[in-house]
Amino acid sequence: MYETFYEMLHTPFVRDIPPGQLYESAAMADTLGRLSYVADRQLFAVVTADAGCGKSTLIRRFVSSLPKEEYIVLYLSDSKLTPRWFYKGMLDQLGIESRFYRGDAKRQLQKEVEIIRGVQGKKVVCILDEAHLLEKETIEEFRFLLNYKFDSMSPMALVLAGQTELWDKLRLQRYAAVRQRIDINCVLPHLDRAETERYIESHLIYAGGRRDIFTDKALDEIYRESTGIPRRINRICDGSLMYASQQNKRLIDEHLVHYVLEHEMLGGERK
């Protein structure tokens, strides 16, 4: 494929780049710092972003940054997550068979967390991904989970991560009791033009090839069409590299990017 043509050691615009090699924007660095605080203080945080803006990347970076000797991370991503399956999913990850009834399973979890905190000396961080798809009953369960020892402490850090509509949902009056317990709200924005260029450059550096494959005007076109959404940047760059290598072009200009957007990308990329 194009990796050989451009003398690359790795494929640049893929999802499985090692966390330490990923581009870190100022907003992502700030959010990672805030989430570290959430983990340390065992708080309740909500992270939202438009689709493709790096929410999953953020979670990977966050989890990889937590020392394994200090934290136990529980991760769930299930659009059909009911309260019972919420507790079962966390207990399964702790190697414990969940009891059938929700109340019993919740008490199991709270007891196990006490053991982890008191005996193992570790803190628990629970991450619920794709949280914008959760139903009302599951969202409301969080306030009961966090109401611990007469509401004097939190048994764990809880991070809800989802698309922008998650916060729109939490603004509804029915979730007022849950919303009042949120300690930190983080929003990942789109990349700006300069960040888009640095993002592309960092991926090319990871790939081990040249950094100057895309001209400045090509970068302008990529930013304009992607609106600074990393997932769309990846698709445009990957498609452009593929087409350029087939045409034996070492340099990618705005005309080539424009052609790829119009003719080569499945379903088009223009909005």
Side-chain angles (χ1 to χ4, degrees), residues 15 18 32 59 68 92 106 118 144 147 152 156 168 184 198 205 228 230 239:
R15 293 183 296 177
L32 284 169
I59 292 172
K68 290 182 172 57
D92 284 347
K106 180 173 69 174
F144 300 114
N147 187 355
S152 63
M156 66 180 68
D168 295 335
I184 291 181
R198 290 195 292 270
I205 291 172

Side-chain angles (χ1 to χ4, degrees), residues 186-202:
C186 305
V187 179
L188 276 182
H190 295 208
L191 301 178
D192 62 24
R193 168 60 177 79
E195 290 172 331
T196 298
E197 181 172 350
R198 290 195 292 270
Y199 176 90
I200 293 171
E201 182 182 33
S202 72

